[in-house]
Amino acid sequence: SGTGDVLEPADGIIGIGSGGNYALAAAKVMIDTDLSAEEIARKSIKVASDICVFTNNNVTVEKI
C-alpha cells in the first residue's frame, strides 16, 4: 500500500518494482496454462524486461 502494509492480492499474483505491472499482466495471462510457477515467473520477467528499460532479465529463482 506504500505505507508498509502487507497486502494479499485477490488472485494470488503480484508484481512489484518498475516493471511490475508488465510482469503482472503477463503472469495473469499465463496463469491459466500448464506452465509451472517458475516458468510463469521467468516468462513474465522476460516480457517486463522487453518493455521496461528499468527492468533487466537477470533472474534468480528461489523455491520454498
Side-chain angles (χ1 to χ4, degrees):
S1 69
T3 61
D5 300 334
V6 177
L7 304 175
E8 183 177 346
D11 53 7
I13 306 169
I14 192 166
I16 60 170
S18 58
N21 287 333
Y22 303 116
L24 177 61
K28 285 187 174 197
V29 169
M30 290 185 274
I31 197 69
D32 292 329
T33 65
D34 292 332
L35 297 174
S36 69
E38 180 179 350
E39 291 171 318
I40 290 173
R42 287 184 182 278
K43 288 178 182 269
S44 297
I45 293 296
K46 173 67 172 111
V47 168
S49 70
D50 288 344
I51 297 170
C52 178
V53 297
F54 299 109
T55 302
N56 67 49
N57 60 359
N58 297 323
V59 178
T60 302
V61 176
E62 293 187 26
K63 298 179 187 180
I64 53 171

